[in-house]
Amino acid sequence: MKEILERTLVRRLICCVIALLFCITGNAKVPYIPKIINYPVSDYKAGNQNWAVAQGPGGKMYIGNNRGLLVFDGIHWDLVKLPNNLGVRALYVSKDGRIYVGSFEEFGYFEMDDENDLIYHSLSSSEMNVYLNNDEFWTINEYKGEIYFQSFRSFFIYDGDKVRKGVSDLSPLYIFTLDDHLYIQFMEGGSFCRMDDGQFTELVSKKVLSDDVVSVLPFDHQLLLVSARSGCFIYDEVCEKLSVWSTPANEILKEGIANRGVMMKDSTYVIGTISNGIVAINKNGEMLWHINRENGLINNTVLRLFADNTDNLWVALDNGIAQVQMNSPIYFYEPLEAQIGMVHDMVIEKGIIYLATNQGLYALLENDGYPMLVPNTQEQTWYISDVGNQLIAGHNKGTLQVDGLRATQIPGPNGGGTVLRKCIIHGKEILLQMSYRPLSVFTRDMATNRWQFSHNVEGFSNLIKSFEVDPTGNIWASHMYKGIYRLRLNEDLKSVKEMEYIGKLEPENESGTINVMKLRGRIVFSDGRKFYTYEDLTGKIVPYDLLNEDFPELSDTYRIVSLNNDLYWFIRNSEYVLLGYEFGRFHLKMRIPFTLFDNPTIEDRGNIYVASDGTSYFCLNGGIARYNRYRNYVDTTRVSLSLSQVQAYSRHENELAPLPCKGAEAPEAGASVLSYSYNTILFKFSYPDYTGRHFQIYYKLDGFDNEWTGGASNFQQTYLNLPYGNFVLHAVVKDDRGKELSSLSYPFKIERPFYSSWWAMIIYFALSLCILVVLVRMYTMWIVMREKKVNEEQKRLQEEQLKAQEQLIIKLENEKLEDDLTYKSKELASATLSVISHNDFLEGLKKEIQAQQLSGSYTKRFFEKLIRMIDENISGEDEWAIFQTNFDRIHEKFFTNLKERYPDLTPGDLRLCALLRLNMPTKDIARMQNLSVRGIEAARYRLRKKLNLPEGQSLVDFMIQFH
């Protein structure tokens, strides 16, 4: 721990000394590095170690992996295995597209068939008179039209027909080809030689260089030799002279053990090491950058380097693969040894780069690139601005004046400022600063020609995010969260004369954040839906049609930074967009999405600093990025859209069938023909662009689609259940400006299904005739059967009518008999009732006479005679039984059912029930029963109890309804 502290103190002391030199020399160098894209094992899903890299004619990348040959087209990874299932140690792609590979006791080449499948051809079999014993092939080179396969024991030469073994007394360590020459570094003896017509010429002996040459690169008309442990050397073949190449990178190469090297198209040399990543050196020997695990590389052990067609670097690592975008105009500085936080603003002054971050104000020093925290600037620093030989920074503690590595607080302003603008109001040049609360004015001290605090403006205090001043002196301030303010100051600039709050720019818009910017001297507003501008003549805010018509998608821009009078950066929450102004219109120049950055800016905090030389610097989270618009992509080989795979799926067979891909490149070869069962087609496209540019693929299938549609990001398109017919698939790749980059067409045909073929039509016609004949026959039979059924039905109906008539006659006769019976029964019942009534009367009369007799009012003989006469008139037959019988016949077994259901009823109860059913009045019933009305009521009460009738139910209704 003590050693670390001592080293840190020493390092900071050195940085302070260097800072003083900066102020004198005015030259700042920061170690910017290109963007690195790492591909871990989880991406390509193969072995850890990658030994070789090459690029095919179509742009696809081929990587020699521990498990076989990896193929990468920028979107898809595929692994192709060798017959021995071992790794690929060496790799070379010839101009004819053959992919030569070397492995353990195996070497040969892959060729692509019409379906874009790689077919392997072995050259190390006994048929080729090649016999190997523990040979492992490490390099493959082409020399004078022949392919050299090198192992540590020997090398083999393939002339396109036969394989022969190279003649050498020593074992080769590496073989290199350069400028039609073949060079060999031997293992035993360690000499470095050139081979001409099978003869070896020693160039550097072990006595001169007791180290192994691991790479041979061109250096003007000389050779740059990279040794494993001794650094770099320049060898002049004409003078036969070897000299040390003086470069600071030699120390890194010696310590890290150099392993591979490559020269880029801009003459930058990149050298990989065994334990310390890669180093880039320009032709003057200056080290441009050093990348290892500490600043972005996934692994420190470099096994092979390769420069692709667009001059980007591919690094095969001991664990993974990396792509270094050296051809990109964007380079990064993200110090890992110091967490500087979110960079809000920056400025370059006198060779020092100042970074205003949320953790303080940092200064970057020469070469070392170590960010020094300017003393007493900890915490939030909102901005740093060069206002003419003076640096002013807005800090949480106040407004700071910065001189070199010293920052002093400017007395006067209340709190720190968030935004500073130089402006002219009422003819006075001032600095206007806004913060969370006050609005401060700075004026120039004529004696010192420096800015100093003058006063705070009265009458306005609010949360302001940004502001601009228009030519008429209006101050347009954007609130942190909602709306904007328009302010006008008094002539003395000490108070607000006029203030207007604007919550929304159009009535239908919801209230929200409104951004204030300046573009070509005009005040511009954005609310996420449209651009607006302030018209000085009318004093109104109106839509800015010039931007809304051409770039409506940029309406969420929250900051505009001028690069010059004709170029402007529009900053959104997803990208930086560079627009140019030409001939009265804005034109898209460049889009830089935030996805290109590992640590993009946080929301609404993006900023760009434009240096005096036109270089743009992007403020990022934890660092900065340098954009050089004068550096263009090197596109030596135009990337072409191609079909990497076409497959047809049959849902009946549940299988995929590969189709030729050559139709896209050579339509004249004829369209692929598919049976109808394979009418689901999968297209897999390849567009091997590795520059990081954004592009989109569009599809249209003639004969099926009516318009172009955008495809998925995985560059695959599937058409399900296509009908039969002729089709042509069109695909086009466009960049972010809508410019077409590449296109292809693929014709194919889906045959008619059997049920739609001409043979099927003939069969259908024959079947139709047969069916028609059968139908006519069946119809005729149906007519005959229908007539037969009609006749049978008529006969049956007649029989049923006769039977119904007979039954109706019998029914009528029975009904007549029943009516007669009913009528007679009613008469009988009436007569019986009359008799019963008469008998009852006589019984009463008899009882009365008997009573008179007992009283002795008449003679006994008289009464006896009278009684005898009455007895003679009283019928002896049971009239009540006759009444019951007749009543049952009339009222359908009334008494019978009543006795069955209520067996406890007495004969008196039954008589009362019959009289109640006849709905006779109580008085009549009492008279007939020879009882009083009260007696009848009591009898009715007893009857209700026996019948268990609930209260409220009528006894008469019950009897009438009883059956």
Side-chain angles (χ1 to χ4, degrees), residues 630-791:
Y630 299 107
R631 180 187 178 101
N632 296 318
Y633 292 105
V634 178
D635 193 6
T636 56
T637 301
R638 186 173 182 269
V639 180
S640 297
L641 179 67
S642 62
L643 278 168
S644 61
Q645 195 175 54
V646 182
Q647 292 180 313
Y649 173 73
S650 171
R651 60 183 179 276
H652 301 298
E653 303 294 336
N654 192 25
E655 66 177 8
L656 286 170
L659 298 178
C661 298
K662 63 183 179 181
E665 292 79 13
E668 66 277 1
S672 299
V673 180
L674 305 171
S675 65
Y676 184 75
S677 60
Y678 288 86
N679 64 343
T680 294
I681 315 296
L682 168 65
F683 297 96
K684 188 175 180 181
F685 296 87
S686 173
Y687 188 72
D689 184 288
Y690 313 100
T691 61
R693 292 178 293 180
H694 275 237
F695 45 83
Q696 178 71 29
I697 187 168
Y698 298 89
Y699 310 100
K700 183 181 180 184
L701 183 62
D702 285 349
F704 188 78
D705 292 330
N706 293 325
E707 58 185 19
W708 290 86
T709 57
S713 58
N714 62 357
F715 269 45
Q716 293 186 10
Q717 179 73 357
T718 302
Y719 287 94
L720 301 173
N721 302 322
L722 291 173
Y724 65 86
N726 295 305
F727 301 93
V728 179
L729 175 70
H730 300 284
V732 60
V733 172
K734 297 182 179 181
D735 62 11
D736 50 12
R737 307 181 197 182
K739 178 183 177 181
E740 182 177 324
L741 302 175
S742 182
S743 64
L744 63 81
S745 296
Y746 184 84
F748 63 96
K749 178 182 179 181
I750 297 178
E751 292 182 323
R752 287 173 175 262
F754 176 76
Y755 57 78
S756 295
S757 65
W758 290 111
W759 284 108
M761 295 298 177
I762 295 174
I763 294 174
Y764 296 154
F765 181 74
L767 288 175
S768 300
L769 288 178
C770 294
I771 292 172
L772 182 61
V773 171
V774 171
L775 289 176
V776 170
R777 176 80 175 181
M778 292 177 64
Y779 180 74
T780 304
M781 294 178 63
W782 177 77
I783 292 295
V784 173
M785 294 296 294
R786 187 184 67 175
E787 292 179 352
K788 182 178 180 181
K789 287 182 178 181
V790 169
N791 294 332

Side-chain angles (χ1 to χ4, degrees), residues 188-208:
E188 300 174 5
S191 60
F192 176 71
C193 301
R194 184 181 68 233
M195 189 180 79
D196 299 298
D197 299 327
Q199 302 298 318
F200 295 99
T201 302
E202 186 180 67
L203 302 182
V204 181
S205 66
K206 186 177 181 180
K207 296 178 181 179
V208 177

Side-chain angles (χ1 to χ4, degrees), residues 714-926:
N714 62 357
F715 269 45
Q716 293 186 10
Q717 179 73 357
T718 302
Y719 287 94
L720 301 173
N721 302 322
L722 291 173
Y724 65 86
N726 295 305
F727 301 93
V728 179
L729 175 70
H730 300 284
V732 60
V733 172
K734 297 182 179 181
D735 62 11
D736 50 12
R737 307 181 197 182
K739 178 183 177 181
E740 182 177 324
L741 302 175
S742 182
S743 64
L744 63 81
S745 296
Y746 184 84
F748 63 96
K749 178 182 179 181
I750 297 178
E751 292 182 323
R752 287 173 175 262
F754 176 76
Y755 57 78
S756 295
S757 65
W758 290 111
W759 284 108
M761 295 298 177
I762 295 174
I763 294 174
Y764 296 154
F765 181 74
L767 288 175
S768 300
L769 288 178
C770 294
I771 292 172
L772 182 61
V773 171
V774 171
L775 289 176
V776 170
R777 176 80 175 181
M778 292 177 64
Y779 180 74
T780 304
M781 294 178 63
W782 177 77
I783 292 295
V784 173
M785 294 296 294
R786 187 184 67 175
E787 292 179 352
K788 182 178 180 181
K789 287 182 178 181
V790 169
N791 294 332
E792 291 177 351
E793 183 67 18
Q794 290 178 350
K795 183 178 180 181
R796 183 185 64 80
L797 291 176
Q798 290 177 356
E799 292 177 352
E800 288 181 353
Q801 288 178 356
L802 292 174
K803 185 175 180 181
Q805 290 176 356
E806 293 176 356
Q807 291 178 349
L808 180 60
I809 293 172
I810 294 172
K811 182 179 178 181
L812 292 175
E813 292 177 350
N814 291 335
E815 288 178 352
K816 183 178 180 182
L817 292 174
E818 185 69 23
D819 291 340
D820 293 342
L821 179 62
T822 300
Y823 175 75
K824 291 180 179 181
S825 296
K826 288 181 178 179
E827 288 183 344
L828 178 61
S830 178
T832 303
L833 287 174
S834 177
V835 172
I836 292 172
S837 178
H838 179 68
N839 287 342
D840 288 340
F841 169 75
L842 293 178
E843 284 288 345
L845 180 61
K846 181 181 178 179
K847 289 179 180 179
E848 180 64 25
I849 294 174
Q850 288 176 344
Q852 291 294 329
Q853 185 182 7
L854 291 176
S855 65
S857 299
Y858 299 94
T859 61
K860 183 177 181 182
R861 181 182 299 270
F862 172 78
F863 284 107
E864 287 179 352
K865 182 179 179 181
L866 185 61
I867 291 172
R868 187 169 53 252
M869 291 175 64
I870 293 172
D871 286 337
E872 290 177 355
N873 291 317
I874 295 176
S875 174
E877 190 177 358
D878 191 358
E879 291 88 352
W880 178 249
I882 297 171
F883 174 80
Q884 275 188 323
T885 302
N886 292 331
F887 195 88
D888 265 352
R889 293 186 64 183
I890 296 171
H891 293 279
E892 299 178 355
K893 299 182 179 180
F894 173 76
F895 288 110
T896 303
N897 294 334
L898 197 62
K899 288 178 181 180
E900 289 179 357
R901 195 171 303 177
Y902 303 101
D904 295 336
L905 295 178
T906 63
D909 294 334
L910 293 175
R911 283 195 295 270
L912 180 58
C913 289
L915 296 175
L916 290 173
R917 185 178 178 90
L918 293 175
N919 198 16
M920 295 184 66
T922 303
K923 290 181 179 181
D924 294 342
I925 295 174

Side-chain angles (χ1 to χ4, degrees), residues 6-7 25 39 154 156 180 193 224 288 315 341 391 397 412 521 534 599 629 719 800 872 939:
E6 290 177 352
R7 286 158 61 185
T25 62
Y39 300 102
S154 182
F156 295 84
D180 296 328
C193 301
L224 174 63
L288 302 178
V315 187
L391 292 180
K397 296 178 180 179
Y534 177 68
N599 299 296
R629 66 187 179 93
Y719 287 94
E800 288 181 353
E872 290 177 355

